[in-house]
Amino acid sequence: MIKRDRVFQTVANLILFVIALFCLLPILLLISSSISNETEILHKGYSLLPRKLDFSTYVYVLNGVNGILKSYGVSLAVTVIGTVLNLVITVLYAYPISRKDLKGRSFFSFLLFFTILFNGGFIPTYMMWTNTFHIKNTYLAYLLPNLLMNGFYVIMARNFFSANIPSELIESAKMDGAGEFRTLYSIVLPMAKPIIATLGLFVSLNYWNDWQNGLYYITDDKMYSLQVLLNRMLLDSMYAQQGLSKTANSIGAAAPSATLKMAIAALGTLPVLIIFPFVSKYLTGGIVVGAVKG
């Protein structure tokens, strides 16, 4: 029996290694292509090993280093603030509707499902944010539309609370004189670290990778986030190759295109690759318990 277990473990590890390798290869291809020569890429295609090592693409991107650093700062601040606000709202909505003794629980649950299934569409949403809330060309434009709350994440958190927070524990806290917020802070949240870390990763990725809010609501180039700035640089590079932009190439050479796309993707994913290992241990438990058991 022990031998069979070892064989199973070996086969399982081999399969997981192959899967991990297939996940790693695109990242290697991305980095390799970003430091390859543009002409070699266009003529011979992409390769896992750099074709004629060339860092001109990064020179082109980092030529406006002050703008890049400021955009990194904007993206970092928006990601941190947006993630914290999202988690606060998610927990404050999910925890009450996970409690069977909440009056109006069915109504609030229905309201949540309704917002997942239906929305007003892009034009009414744009008019609401710009004409009613006046968020255009403000940093709130990065935080509020589409990203501040996600109904699916609320459902995941609610399922986690229902499955892993015993009602007897909450009743015991009440008998000891703890109020609702004290119970939430001292008992529920420490037990909910896996789902909070999981949702925090998802939300932070959404904020970090978002470029649509910047495209729709930000026209001031001093307020560009990293994704918006890199997207603008890519468009300028494409326009420059077509002879439509006189200012796209600020370093006096032909603006790269194929390798620029790879460099932009590499710069955008670098912070994610750094952060992911620190929260990955919570990821599996948070997803499985939060999404499967309701």
Side-chain angles (χ1 to χ4, degrees), residues 269-283:
T269 56
L270 180 61
V272 178
L273 296 176
I274 295 175
I275 295 173
F276 180 79
F278 296 99
V279 297
S280 60
K281 63 179 180 180
Y282 297 109
L283 191 59

Side-chain angles (χ1 to χ4, degrees), residues 31-49:
I31 297 175
S32 172
S33 301
S34 68
I35 58 177
S36 296
N37 181 267
E38 174 85 3
T39 304
E40 293 291 321
I41 289 291
L42 293 177
H43 285 82
K44 299 181 180 179
Y46 298 99
S47 172
L48 289 176
L49 296 178

Side-chain angles (χ1 to χ4, degrees), residues 168-186:
E168 294 81 7
L169 190 60
I170 297 175
E171 291 297 329
S172 176
K174 283 185 177 181
M175 294 177 62
D176 291 337
E180 294 292 350
F181 282 101
R182 179 62 182 273
T183 302
L184 175 63
Y185 177 78
S186 300

